[in-house]
Amino acid sequence: RELIRRYFALIQERTGKPFPQDPFEQLMGSVGAVFGSWMNERAIIYRRKYKIPDEWGTAVNVQSMVFGNMGDDCATGVAFTRDPATGEDIFYGEYLVNAQGEDVVAGVRTPKPVAEMQHDPMFAGTYKQLEKVRQTLEKKFGDVQDFEFTVERKKLYMLQTRNGKRTALAYVKIAHDMVQQKLMTPDHAIRSADPDALSQLLAPIFDRRAYEAAGKEGRLLTSGLPAGPGAATGQLVFTAAKAEQLAAGGAKVVLARVETSPEDLRGMIAAEGILTSRGGVSSHAALVARQMGKVCVAGAGAIQIDYARGTLSCGGRTLREGDAISINGSTGEVFAGAIQTADSELKQVLVAGTMKPEDSEVYQYYAFIMKLADKHRTLGLRTNADTPEQVRQAIAFGAEGIGLARTEHMFFEGDRIDAMREMILAESVEARRDALAKLLPYQREDFEGIFRALEGRPATIRFLDPPLHEFVPHDDQAQADLARKLGIPVERVRARVAALHEFNPMLGHRGCRLGISFPEISEMQARAVFEAAAKVQADGIKVRPEIMIPLVGFKKELDNQVDIVHRVAATVQQETGQKIKYLVGTMIEIPRGALTAAEIAETAQFFSFGTNDLTQTCLGMSRDDMGSFLQRYTDEGIFKANPFASIDVSGVGRLMEIAVEKGR
Amino acid sequence: RELIRRYFALIQERTGKPFPQDPFEQLMGSVGAVFGSWMNERAIIYRRKYKIPDEWGTAVNVQSMVFGNMGDDCATGVAFTRDPATGEDIFYGEYLVNAQGEDVVAGVRTPKPVAEMQHDPMFAGTYKQLEKVRQTLEKKFGDVQDFEFTVERKKLYMLQTRNGKRTALAYVKIAHDMVQQKLMTPDHAIRSADPDALSQLLAPIFDRRAYEAAGKEGRLLTSGLPAGPGAATGQLVFTAAKAEQLAAGGAKVVLARVETSPEDLRGMIAAEGILTSRGGVSSHAALVARQMGKVCVAGAGAIQIDYARGTLSCGGRTLREGDAISINGSTGEVFAGAIQTADSELKQVLVAGTMKPEDSEVYQYYAFIMKLADKHRTLGLRTNADTPEQVRQAIAFGAEGIGLARTEHMFFEGDRIDAMREMILAESVEARRDALAKLLPYQREDFEGIFRALEGRPATIRFLDPPLHEFVPHDDQAQADLARKLGIPVERVRARVAALHEFNPMLGHRGCRLGISFPEISEMQARAVFEAAAKVQADGIKVRPEIMIPLVGFKKELDNQVDIVHRVAATVQQETGQKIKYLVGTMIEIPRGALTAAEIAETAQFFSFGTNDLTQTCLGMSRDDMGSFLQRYTDEGIFKANPFASIDVSGVGRLMEIAVEKGR
């Protein structure tokens, strides 16, 4: 009653009006509060993360209330039909006797696992009902359900149900199991995947030896609830602000809170892992962590967190802010100090080969889903790769070829950069050819390695794209070194670097414009591709080079470069006696290319879309410079999502549509 | 015969084959030579200047030959039905007895004026025939004709006729006269105008006093043929290469040649004026000069040009390369030394008011044509203008309002730049507002002056567009000065300047992005516009401000800025009691703006096209950086014309078409 009196006083003070006694007025006030919640900061942050447009708005459902807090024959709970962290087929959830729903999710009281209900004489019957509900729900909805219930004077009421959020691990296991059990359609199994979340399966786990060592060294502090699987190690912080600050500086942090609240959202996003001393697996910390794929240990009750002193104590040991801490979100363990992390099982099976497929359950679930997805997909899948190593990794994960091999990356390694610089500083076609001749063997070897790693799969190879000034040194010392190396006056280096300066390099002398100005560069690149192809093919390995001319806006640009490619191809084929099948196409990455796609398609044997540059030019926004207004644009709702993270459908998408229509 | 023998030997030597004796083989060789001439350098330069696509190619007409070089009863000539330099209604042309057409245009022999024919007993009859032909041709073709004729044994043959190229002066006079004489349709009079050439009418003439003084000082060297009207003064040069070289450095040159040939074309383009000592008004020099609107004096036979010594002598006086020389292409006079030039009559009548309309024939012809054009045109015409002075000039020439008033230019003058810099360096909204308050009166005065000068005509005013770093000093000394002036540490200035640096400023924090980041800037600009409008309107002068928000790609950007404009407008109207009619629209200058024009048009009350930025983004080419490949792109035929000088129809034009369609 005292509490009620105080609330009444507070309402009077804050709103200048007494708490309304008319039920309808109360109802309207509540409805207004729900609508208003759409624009609070938490909702806005949430929407931004999940790219939900501001315009959608929210709805209000009005229904009669049941009470879980009318005595010890009342209870309330939150449950999942399966374990949303691991995907195991167990009844998973929590309940609190004599409480309302808010008490469970707020994490203020630590609730009991729902399984204990069956041993509680008061609720054993309810438990049986719930078990039935659990099966009915999965059958009815064809997916894991996350539902809330209240028991009012021993009578069970279901409050709501929805598809349960889950970790990526739980997703693959549940999809695998429920499809096998014929509870879920394969179609739903694929559609309900969160592709971003799947990358959680690649998240590191603890290195086995370091993990065992930590145990032996007695660094295990306690165990809480495993609320978000994976391994996290980092600096201990106690506030969201500190987490954000350190993470912005590149540090890895573990955020420890007594309990988390929506105000901590930004800090939780910034942290590697989240640790709470209170609250269960349905607490705010656990829910959010699971959804974001964050490692989380919740309700580690043995831990004492002292915000004022900035310490975390457990069993006589005390860690301070900034100390290393490690948590295992799959087991709930909390360790003092850092523990080295290791590759995920998927990587160990597919890439490193240090684990056998049959030893990894995760791998098997993953493979099951991928096979399912392969049945439905109509898109081919290629990887970005510039080295044989990258090619092998990508193929292990299912890539069917290379979609983009950037040849410029190949010019930075070791001595190559010297030859590249010599080429750029050359003052005649002959001198440029001499320098290019030095680059040819490097480039040929690169392509050879790539073709071998591809084992007959196609490779789209982009010719030199970035402006030449990216390859030259800009500070005095490096310029002097280069001049000495090349035996030319430093003034010449300086003058050439200055001449290469551009006001807007993104819109400057790059892409096919280089190959048109300096045809000998394209000649060298074509020669490297075809010589490598001929060599690998001679060894009995199929090669499918697809040369891509970048930044084409005019058909004649492409014609110019395609002529060179065909000419070199003919020469190399004659020299080697190898007949090579190849394609020459272009990347549509400036608006004019899209708008005149019909003409360009007369020459191009394929199109690729360069959505990064296409976005920069279509929006007139430099990705490197938008930092100064990105935040404002997001706050003002001008951007629904960062257009460089998620295609701008109305603008860039429209250009792509035009290009596809006209190109056919 | 000796000449023929030498030619035969030369042909044998160059081609390795004797001159063919089979007439058909000769014919095919000649046809081939004509086709081949399409790709010679002269033809290419010519096409580039007049934007004729390479693909068009040329045609060959085969017809039987008549000979003007079979004796003294033969002749050949080139004539215009009116004077192509002044437009006077006189029979204008030249002929050579016992010669072929090539001899007339090559300028090797100086031909006689066609009028002299009537006094020549041999050709008096031919002259009468020609006079008749002259009238027939003008009646038949409805325009001045440029025709060639040959007299073979007293019989007149017409070889070809075409509309005559003429100076802008001749154009307005001929159009005026022939429309009055009902020989030319008003429609043709307008269609046949070369809008670029009309700017010749604005070209300077000699300052009357300086011109008279030069005469009195005895600086008149000689008089040649007035072959390209106007006044030119500059450094004397004797080669096209030197003309190009000095002009590239910003010098004004007069090119003097014994005669010009197509090889001199580049030099002639670079020169202010052309002077030849040989050749008539149909010589190469005269033809080219007239067409290009170059000042030209041809066939000044008293002049001796010595290429080897680099001198030009006349009547005992000698000028050397680099000396000043002046030529009057309207009278044929050649002066030693510089003569100050003065405004054209058009400017004197319309802008300076130093000449009465009735005293200027040119003005009257010009006004006649403009009135004719006004009857037919459907487009409104507005000017670019940032100052009242510019507004007045433009109105004098017929502008119906301002199409683009760039407000940023207003921030560079005098003390304003200090307040602007203070605004940019401000660290809080309040400090920024304080600095903006200092800018407000300046900006208001600017607009007031513009509104008064417009006298009720509309003005499209663009809000701040360029990135802020264009306003801050970049060298150490200027930064130190600024820090002292503002009483802040120089480090702060330096840090802010560094923070404003952008990789691609064209695609950076500019246009409406500024007004969205710093709404107080747009507020100040809106306030300045409306306060000025209210003040001028209170004085009984109509105002029609049209505020243009730049660089809009998203409807919400425009919404954001339009809200500010409307809010400020409402406030100012309330404060001043003046009701102001205004529009708010946008400039379509990035592809996304064009592609989403339908949405943007919901908010915009008008569209303007910013084809400069639209070209940069559509083509992905920075105008400031394209110098490194422009030449190559032109040589390779990728650009038909510099896309920043002439709209790229397939790309940029298509975007504009989309914007117009969707915007409606």
Side-chain angles (χ1 to χ4, degrees):
Chain A
R1 289 204 187 271
E2 167 58 17
L3 199 63
I4 291 170
R5 201 194 52 76
R6 276 205 250 159
Y7 266 113
F8 275 172
L10 200 64
I11 285 162
Q12 175 78 48
E13 187 193 314
R14 292 269 176 91
T15 69
K17 281 182 286 188
F19 185 79
Q21 292 303 319
D22 173 19
F24 188 76
E25 216 177 303
Q26 288 178 5
L27 179 63
M28 292 314 289
S30 306
V31 168
V34 175
F35 281 133
S37 72
W38 182 253
M39 288 313 292
N40 71 30
E41 202 203 341
R42 285 144 44 189
I44 291 170
I45 292 174
Y46 183 91
R47 285 201 295 276
R48 204 165 297 158
K49 185 165 167 69
Y50 293 100
K51 290 166 201 151
I52 299 168
D54 288 350
E55 294 93 62
W56 283 8
T58 188
V60 180
N61 238 332
V62 180
Q63 59 187 75
S64 71
M65 182 98 179
V66 288
F67 295 87
N69 55 356
M70 294 180 81
D72 287 343
D73 55 354
C74 298
T76 194
V78 173
F80 284 80
T81 56
R82 295 180 190 226
D83 185 331
T86 65
E88 270 182 278
D89 185 6
I90 52 163
F91 192 15
Y92 181 96
E94 299 166 321
Y95 74 107
L96 268 174
V97 175
N98 196 11
Q100 282 292 69
E102 194 62 18
D103 303 328
V104 182
V105 293
V108 181
R109 283 164 62 190
T110 300
K112 289 192 267 188
V114 85
E116 280 184 23
M117 231 182 204
Q118 57 193 312
H119 311 303
D120 184 335
M122 184 71 84
F123 298 113
T126 307
Y127 183 78
K128 271 187 199 151
Q129 280 182 287
L130 279 172
E131 267 288 9
K132 226 179 191 161
V133 164
R134 182 189 160 212
Q135 283 159 30
T136 310
L137 287 175
E138 284 203 345
K139 219 171 199 164
K140 169 84 184 158
F141 292 103
D143 201 349
V144 163
Q145 295 300 299
D146 163 5
F147 61 95
E148 291 180 26
F149 61 91
T150 284
V151 185
E152 184 182 290
R153 303 206 191 281
K154 297 196 82 169
K155 184 166 180 190
L156 175 66
Y157 291 89
M158 301 301 298
L159 304 187
Q160 66 168 34
T161 184
R162 56 182 169 187
N163 288 348
K165 306 266 183 202
R166 67 207 78 172
T167 62
L169 173 61
Y171 161 71
V172 288
K173 176 156 174 63
I174 289 169
H176 169 266
D177 293 353
M178 287 184 76
V179 168
Q180 300 277 44
Q181 294 164 352
K182 301 222 184 294
L183 283 169
M184 184 186 279
T185 63
D187 198 63
H188 179 81
I190 295 159
R191 275 180 204 279
S192 60
D194 174 354
D196 281 346
L198 279 175
S199 63
Q200 289 173 31
L201 296 180
L202 302 176
I205 54 178
F206 283 130
D207 171 80
R208 191 168 300 275
R209 274 187 230 179
Y211 182 55
E212 285 170 6
K216 281 186 195 145
E217 288 159 17
R219 281 159 53 194
L220 178 67
L221 295 177
T222 182
S223 274
L225 300 168
T233 188
Q235 282 178 264
L236 177 63
V237 294
F238 297 107
T239 64
K242 191 78 186 176
E244 272 200 286
Q245 180 201 326
L246 291 181
K252 302 198 163 191
V253 301
V254 172
L255 175 64
R257 301 285 298 167
V258 174
E259 56 195 310
T260 64
S261 73
E263 283 69 38
D264 297 320
L265 214 47
R266 283 169 183 271
M268 295 168 82
I269 292 172
E272 296 294 305
I274 300 151
L275 168 63
T276 65
S277 58
R278 221 186 284 166
V281 289
S282 309
S283 66
H284 178 263
L287 284 173
V288 170
R290 217 145 46 220
Q291 195 172 341
M292 292 182 184
K294 292 283 175 194
V295 174
C296 180
V297 171
I303 279 175
Q304 301 292 327
I305 293 174
D306 185 332
Y307 292 136
R309 296 170 55 196
T311 56
L312 177 153
S313 315
C314 185
R317 296 180 65 153
T318 296
L319 300 183
R320 315 198 146 270
E321 188 177 89
D323 285 353
I325 188 168
S326 304
I327 59 176
N328 186 341
S330 310
T331 61
E333 291 160 309
V334 180
F335 293 89
I339 300 177
Q340 206 191 321
T341 53
D343 272 354
S344 69
E345 289 191 10
L346 275 195
K347 280 200 181 169
Q348 292 193 40
V349 171
L350 289 170
V351 183
T354 50
M355 199 169 186
K356 286 184 197 158
E358 56 269 29
D359 290 345
S360 169
E361 270 184 57
V362 184
Y363 170 73
Q364 287 165 36
Y365 302 140
Y366 163 84
F368 177 83
I369 296 298
M370 286 300 138
K371 205 173 272 174
L372 222 52
D374 273 347
K375 266 191 218 154
H376 286 71
R377 77 181 162 102
T378 53
L379 267 181
L381 277 174
R382 295 196 186 178
T383 181
N384 278 10
D386 309 335
T387 65
E389 183 48 36
Q390 290 172 357
V391 172
R392 276 185 285 271
Q393 276 216 21
I395 289 175
F397 280 105
E400 299 165 313
I402 298 182
L404 177 60
R406 297 181 181 87
T407 52
E408 55 268 20
H409 291 184
M410 304 172 177
F411 293 129
F412 281 104
E413 280 170 37
D415 298 342
R416 307 171 175 204
I417 189 69
D418 291 336
M420 186 70 185
R421 288 170 171 173
E422 191 183 329
M423 190 275 286
I424 294 169
L425 284 157
E427 287 189 325
S428 68
V429 176
E430 290 67 36
R432 200 151 44 235
R433 278 193 202 284
D434 288 349
L436 284 163
K438 293 182 195 167
L439 285 168
L440 176 64
Y442 292 124
Q443 185 111 90
R444 187 174 49 218
E445 269 170 48
D446 290 332
F447 292 135
E448 202 188 314
I450 287 173
F451 289 142
R452 287 190 197 279
L454 279 167
E455 297 173 327
R457 294 177 185 84
T460 305
I461 296 163
R462 183 173 74 185
F463 272 13
L464 191 66
D465 183 56
L468 298 183
H469 52 73
E470 289 194 9
F471 298 95
V472 292
H474 287 86
D475 61 300
D476 290 346
Q477 187 52 50
Q479 288 180 355
D481 288 349
L482 179 60
R484 208 167 21 251
K485 252 187 200 169
L486 299 180
I488 57 173
V490 69
E491 290 72 29
R492 231 184 81 195
V493 175
R494 223 176 279 142
R496 182 76 180 125
V497 171
L500 287 172
H501 169 80
E502 294 188 307
F503 295 99
N504 296 289
M506 201 262 124
L507 307 174
H509 199 177
R510 49 171 290 238
C512 67
R513 298 164 197 173
L514 292 174
I516 289 167
S517 294
F518 310 112
E520 48 282 3
I521 299 179
S522 301
E523 278 165 24
M524 183 279 281
Q525 293 206 289
R527 180 165 279 276
V529 169
F530 292 114
E531 287 186 354
K535 202 166 165 198
V536 174
Q537 191 170 279
D539 291 347
I541 300 168
K542 252 181 86 178
V543 284
R544 290 170 57 196
E546 301 177 354
I547 291 173
M548 184 164 71
I549 308 300
L551 213 71
V552 165
F554 295 79
K555 174 179 183 287
K556 285 197 177 177
E557 291 178 313
L558 185 59
D559 290 348
N560 177 302
Q561 294 293 290
V562 166
D563 281 351
I564 294 176
V565 173
H566 286 332
R567 183 157 39 78
V568 174
T571 310
V572 175
Q573 292 184 89
Q574 207 178 7
E575 287 167 4
T576 61
Q578 290 285 334
K579 173 106 198 78
I580 297 155
K581 276 192 195 165
Y582 67 96
L583 299 177
V584 197
T586 185
M587 188 172 250
I588 298 293
E589 52 188 331
I590 52 177
R592 198 184 195 279
L595 293 163
T596 61
E599 288 173 43
I600 292 173
E602 289 171 18
T603 305
Q605 292 177 296
F606 64 87
F607 278 179
S608 171
F609 284 98
T611 54
N612 182 10
D613 279 358
L614 196 57
T615 300
Q616 298 199 79
T617 46
C618 178
L619 272 58
M621 278 181 196
S622 158
R623 192 178 54 167
D624 298 328
D625 299 315
M626 74 185 305
S628 49
F629 56 90
L630 175 59
Q631 188 62 48
R632 188 81 183 207
Y633 266 52
T634 312
D635 292 346
E636 295 284 336
I638 296 168
F639 287 157
K640 292 195 176 118
N642 179 338
F644 292 99
S646 168
I647 290 268
D648 160 48
V649 176
S650 335
V652 178
R654 178 68 193 121
L655 278 181
M656 293 172 68
E657 201 177 17
I658 290 172
V660 169
E661 275 167 22
K662 298 213 170 180
R664 285 215 159 109
Chain B
R1 292 205 185 270
E2 167 58 18
L3 198 65
I4 292 168
R5 202 193 54 74
R6 275 204 251 159
Y7 266 111
F8 276 173
L10 200 64
I11 286 162
Q12 173 78 46
E13 186 192 317
R14 291 269 174 90
T15 68
K17 278 181 287 187
F19 184 78
Q21 292 303 319
D22 173 22
F24 188 76
E25 215 178 305
Q26 289 177 7
L27 179 65
M28 291 315 290
S30 307
V31 168
V34 175
F35 281 134
S37 72
W38 182 253
M39 289 314 290
N40 72 29
E41 202 203 339
R42 286 142 45 188
I44 291 170
I45 292 173
Y46 183 93
R47 285 202 295 275
R48 203 168 296 158
K49 183 164 168 72
Y50 293 100
K51 290 164 201 148
I52 299 167
D54 288 350
E55 295 93 64
W56 283 7
T58 188
V60 179
N61 238 331
V62 179
Q63 59 186 76
S64 71
M65 182 96 180
V66 285
F67 296 88
N69 57 355
M70 293 177 82
D72 287 345
D73 55 352
C74 299
T76 193
V78 174
F80 285 81
T81 55
R82 293 179 191 230
D83 186 331
T86 65
E88 269 182 278
D89 186 4
I90 52 163
F91 191 15
Y92 179 97
E94 297 164 321
Y95 74 107
L96 268 175
V97 175
N98 195 11
Q100 282 292 67
E102 194 61 20
D103 303 326
V104 183
V105 294
V108 180
R109 284 164 62 188
T110 301
K112 288 191 266 188
V114 83
E116 281 183 24
M117 231 184 205
Q118 56 193 311
H119 310 303
D120 184 335
M122 186 73 83
F123 298 112
T126 308
Y127 183 78
K128 269 184 201 155
Q129 279 182 289
L130 280 172
E131 266 291 7
K132 223 175 193 168
V133 165
R134 182 187 160 213
Q135 283 160 32
T136 311
L137 286 175
E138 284 203 344
K139 216 168 200 166
K140 168 83 184 161
F141 292 103
D143 200 349
V144 163
Q145 295 299 299
D146 164 4
F147 62 95
E148 292 179 25
F149 61 91
T150 285
V151 185
E152 185 182 291
R153 304 207 189 279
K154 298 195 80 169
K155 184 168 181 187
L156 175 66
Y157 292 90
M158 301 301 299
L159 303 187
Q160 67 169 33
T161 185
R162 55 183 171 188
N163 288 347
K165 307 267 183 200
R166 67 208 80 174
T167 63
L169 173 61
Y171 162 71
V172 288
K173 175 152 175 61
I174 290 169
H176 168 267
D177 292 353
M178 287 185 77
V179 169
Q180 300 278 45
Q181 295 164 350
K182 301 224 185 294
L183 283 169
M184 185 187 276
T185 63
D187 198 64
H188 179 80
I190 295 157
R191 276 182 203 278
S192 61
D194 174 355
D196 282 346
L198 279 174
S199 63
Q200 290 173 28
L201 296 179
L202 302 174
I205 55 178
F206 283 128
D207 172 78
R208 190 169 299 272
R209 273 188 231 178
Y211 182 54
E212 288 169 3
K216 280 184 197 151
E217 289 160 17
R219 281 159 54 196
L220 177 65
L221 295 178
T222 183
S223 273
L225 300 168
T233 189
Q235 283 177 264
L236 177 62
V237 294
F238 297 106
T239 65
K242 191 78 186 178
E244 274 199 285
Q245 180 201 328
L246 292 181
K252 303 197 162 188
V253 300
V254 172
L255 175 64
R257 300 285 298 168
V258 174
E259 56 196 311
T260 63
S261 73
E263 283 68 38
D264 297 320
L265 214 49
R266 284 170 183 270
M268 295 168 82
I269 293 173
E272 296 295 304
I274 298 150
L275 168 63
T276 64
S277 58
R278 219 186 288 167
V281 290
S282 308
S283 65
H284 178 264
L287 285 172
V288 171
R290 217 144 48 221
Q291 194 171 344
M292 291 182 182
K294 292 285 174 191
V295 174
C296 181
V297 171
I303 281 175
Q304 300 293 327
I305 294 174
D306 185 331
Y307 292 136
R309 295 168 57 195
T311 57
L312 178 153
S313 318
C314 187
R317 296 181 66 154
T318 297
L319 302 183
R320 315 199 145 270
E321 188 177 89
D323 287 350
I325 189 168
S326 304
I327 60 176
N328 185 339
S330 310
T331 62
E333 291 159 310
V334 180
F335 293 88
I339 301 176
Q340 207 190 321
T341 54
D343 273 354
S344 69
E345 289 190 10
L346 277 195
K347 281 201 180 166
Q348 292 194 40
V349 172
L350 290 170
V351 184
T354 49
M355 199 168 185
K356 287 185 198 157
E358 55 271 29
D359 291 343
S360 169
E361 271 185 56
V362 185
Y363 170 74
Q364 287 166 36
Y365 303 140
Y366 164 84
F368 176 83
I369 296 297
M370 287 299 138
K371 204 173 273 173
L372 222 52
D374 273 348
K375 266 191 221 156
H376 286 71
R377 77 184 163 99
T378 53
L379 268 180
L381 277 175
R382 295 195 185 179
T383 181
N384 279 10
D386 310 335
T387 66
E389 183 48 35
Q390 290 171 358
V391 173
R392 276 185 286 271
Q393 276 217 21
I395 289 174
F397 280 104
E400 298 166 316
I402 298 183
L404 176 61
R406 297 180 180 87
T407 53
E408 55 269 21
H409 290 183
M410 303 172 177
F411 293 130
F412 281 105
E413 278 170 39
D415 297 344
R416 307 171 175 203
I417 189 68
D418 290 337
M420 186 68 187
R421 287 169 172 174
E422 190 182 330
M423 190 276 285
I424 293 169
L425 284 156
E427 288 190 325
S428 68
V429 176
E430 291 66 36
R432 202 155 38 237
R433 278 192 203 284
D434 288 349
L436 284 164
K438 293 182 195 168
L439 284 169
L440 176 63
Y442 291 124
Q443 185 112 92
R444 187 174 50 219
E445 270 169 48
D446 290 331
F447 292 134
E448 202 187 314
I450 286 174
F451 289 142
R452 288 191 196 279
L454 279 167
E455 297 174 325
R457 295 178 185 83
T460 305
I461 296 164
R462 184 174 73 185
F463 273 13
L464 191 66
D465 182 57
L468 297 183
H469 52 72
E470 289 194 7
F471 298 95
V472 293
H474 288 87
D475 61 299
D476 291 346
Q477 187 51 50
Q479 289 180 356
D481 289 349
L482 179 61
R484 206 167 25 247
K485 252 186 200 169
L486 299 180
I488 57 174
V490 69
E491 291 73 27
R492 230 183 82 197
V493 176
R494 223 175 280 143
R496 182 75 179 124
V497 172
L500 287 172
H501 170 79
E502 294 186 310
F503 295 98
N504 295 291
M506 200 262 121
L507 307 174
H509 199 178
R510 49 172 290 235
C512 67
R513 298 164 195 172
L514 291 173
I516 289 167
S517 295
F518 310 113
E520 48 282 1
I521 298 179
S522 300
E523 278 164 23
M524 183 282 279
Q525 293 206 289
R527 180 164 277 277
V529 169
F530 291 114
E531 287 186 354
K535 202 166 166 199
V536 174
Q537 190 170 280
D539 291 347
I541 300 169
K542 252 181 85 176
V543 284
R544 290 170 57 195
E546 302 177 354
I547 291 174
M548 183 164 73
I549 307 301
L551 213 74
V552 165
F554 294 79
K555 174 179 183 287
K556 283 197 177 176
E557 292 178 314
L558 184 59
D559 290 347
N560 177 301
Q561 294 293 290
V562 167
D563 281 352
I564 294 176
V565 173
H566 287 331
R567 182 156 40 76
V568 174
T571 312
V572 174
Q573 291 184 87
Q574 206 175 12
E575 286 168 4
T576 61
Q578 290 285 334
K579 174 106 195 76
I580 296 156
K581 276 192 194 162
Y582 67 96
L583 298 177
V584 197
T586 185
M587 191 173 247
I588 299 292
E589 52 188 332
I590 51 177
R592 198 185 195 277
L595 293 164
T596 62
E599 289 173 42
I600 292 172
E602 288 171 18
T603 304
Q605 293 177 294
F606 65 87
F607 278 179
S608 172
F609 284 97
T611 53
N612 183 10
D613 279 358
L614 196 55
T615 300
Q616 298 199 78
T617 47
C618 177
L619 272 57
M621 277 179 198
S622 159
R623 193 178 51 167
D624 297 329
D625 298 315
M626 75 186 304
S628 49
F629 55 91
L630 175 59
Q631 187 61 47
R632 189 82 181 204
Y633 266 52
T634 312
D635 292 345
E636 295 284 335
I638 296 168
F639 286 158
K640 286 188 183 127
N642 180 337
F644 292 100
S646 168
I647 290 266
D648 160 48
V649 176
S650 335
V652 177
R654 179 68 194 124
L655 279 179
M656 293 173 70
E657 200 177 17
I658 291 172
V660 169
E661 276 167 21
K662 299 213 169 177
R664 285 214 158 111

